[in-house]
Amino acid sequence: SACRPSSSATSPRSPTTRSTRPATKRPVSYNRVFTRGSEKSGNARADQLLHQGIRKLEVGLYDEAIAFFDRAIHIVPKHDTAYYNRGLAYWRKQDEFAAFRDYSEVLKLKPNDADALNNRGKIYVLQLRFLDAITDYTRAIDIAYPLYVRPIDGTNVVVDQEVSGDDTFAIYTIELATLLTNRGNVFNRLGNRAGAIKDFNDSISIDSKFVKAYVDRGRLFLQMRDFERALEDCSKALELNSNNPDARKC
């Protein structure tokens, strides 16, 4: 699992300037969730415990990781980064209720944290709370869209900048197309096929090589008995990646 950038890169913060230079950090996939470790809490001991927890988390020692995050939170009760990573540890332990609690705590501290919104949205889907999932996904999309920069290198990215005292920028990337596809699938489960198709279309508009969007839209067309468009999407998915298991079953 890759370490994700600091939470200073997840809130929109109404950036006053924009840059079109390519993003320099590893993309954050909304198909997965990542550890977060570069933010400082202002307490050296809490941050040390945080990083010890992340190291345990990244090698699958979830209980040990949680113990370190617990200690960091005890020292700094509003340590949103520790809550975020503890939520991830619980998620990987398949304890969705504890993960939900921690992501909700992150959002109390930082309501515009797109990653926490996305991760909590996934839990809402597991709980069959589809309207709540739509709310969280929509908030995350609303945060990401204004920061979206059309790519130069063929990948869809969101570039977020925070002007610091020396006018430098913190830059990170989000796979916006994936987030739209996630919401589209929830719309479909709610019976809102028009909303689902719009999200899939927007996803493909952003990333014309995104296999999952073609697969999911193709499956929706099959449900609608629109076999011609279903075949077109499934064929496109296979053309893009013939080894993708979802494309092969489309």
Side-chain angles (χ1 to χ4, degrees):
S1 174
C3 283
R4 56 147 299 185
S6 73
S7 61
S8 65
T10 17
S11 301
R13 263 182 277 280
S14 300
T16 56
T17 57
R18 304 218 22 196
S19 171
T20 56
R21 61 194 171 105
T24 56
K25 293 188 178 180
R26 184 185 299 271
V28 176
S29 171
Y30 276 108
N31 277 331
R32 301 184 298 277
V33 284
F34 287 80
T35 57
R36 167 187 292 174
S38 59
E39 179 172 325
K40 301 296 183 182
S41 70
N43 184 291
R45 178 56 179 157
D47 292 336
Q48 181 185 39
L49 291 165
L50 171 72
H51 286 280
Q52 288 175 298
I54 287 172
R55 285 194 289 273
K56 297 295 185 181
L57 176 56
E58 292 187 330
V59 296
L61 299 175
Y62 304 132
D63 289 327
E64 293 181 36
I66 288 167
F68 279 115
F69 299 140
D70 286 344
R71 292 166 65 190
I73 291 167
H74 179 75
I75 296 171
V76 180
K78 294 185 177 182
H79 201 321
D80 66 283
T81 307
Y83 280 112
Y84 181 93
N85 285 300
R86 191 175 70 177
L88 175 52
Y90 281 127
W91 170 265
R92 291 181 177 170
K93 285 188 64 179
Q94 300 183 331
D95 187 344
E96 67 188 58
F97 296 103
F100 178 89
R101 180 191 63 212
D102 277 351
Y103 290 133
S104 295
E105 190 64 32
V106 173
L107 290 164
K108 288 179 186 177
L109 297 168
K110 294 197 171 181
N112 287 329
D113 189 313
D115 289 335
L117 285 165
N118 175 70
N119 296 347
R120 192 174 69 174
K122 293 179 181 179
I123 297 172
Y124 278 137
V125 171
L126 290 176
Q127 296 172 344
L128 306 182
R129 296 171 62 180
F130 299 129
L131 292 176
D132 290 322
I134 290 291
T135 297
D136 275 5
Y137 284 142
T138 299
R139 284 177 61 194
I141 289 167
D142 288 344
I143 291 165
Y145 248 130
L147 304 171
Y148 177 67
V149 175
R150 274 239 176 232
I152 298 171
D153 62 355
T155 59
N156 75 93
V157 299
V158 172
V159 178
D160 184 19
Q161 309 130 40
E162 181 181 0
V163 180
S164 67
D166 59 357
D167 294 325
T168 58
F169 296 100
I171 296 181
Y172 78 114
T173 63
I174 293 175
E175 292 179 7
L176 179 57
T178 308
L179 185 52
L180 284 161
T181 300
N182 288 348
R183 188 178 68 174
N185 281 312
V186 181
F187 274 139
N188 188 29
R189 295 185 72 167
L190 287 169
N192 182 355
R193 288 176 170 174
I197 289 172
K198 182 181 185 306
D199 274 353
F200 295 146
N201 290 347
D202 288 346
S203 177
I204 290 168
S205 175
I206 287 169
D207 186 350
S208 63
K209 296 182 179 180
F210 186 30
V211 172
K212 181 172 173 55
Y214 288 105
V215 169
D216 293 345
R217 191 176 66 177
R219 287 173 173 169
L220 175 53
F221 285 143
L222 278 174
Q223 294 172 20
M224 298 168 62
R225 303 186 68 80
D226 186 340
F227 300 120
E228 183 177 348
R229 287 199 290 178
L231 178 60
E232 183 179 335
D233 274 353
C234 292
S235 298
K236 181 64 176 180
L238 282 170
E239 176 189 323
L240 290 168
N241 186 351
S242 60
N243 294 318
N244 184 288
D246 290 327
R248 294 174 68 88
K249 291 185 290 185
C250 180

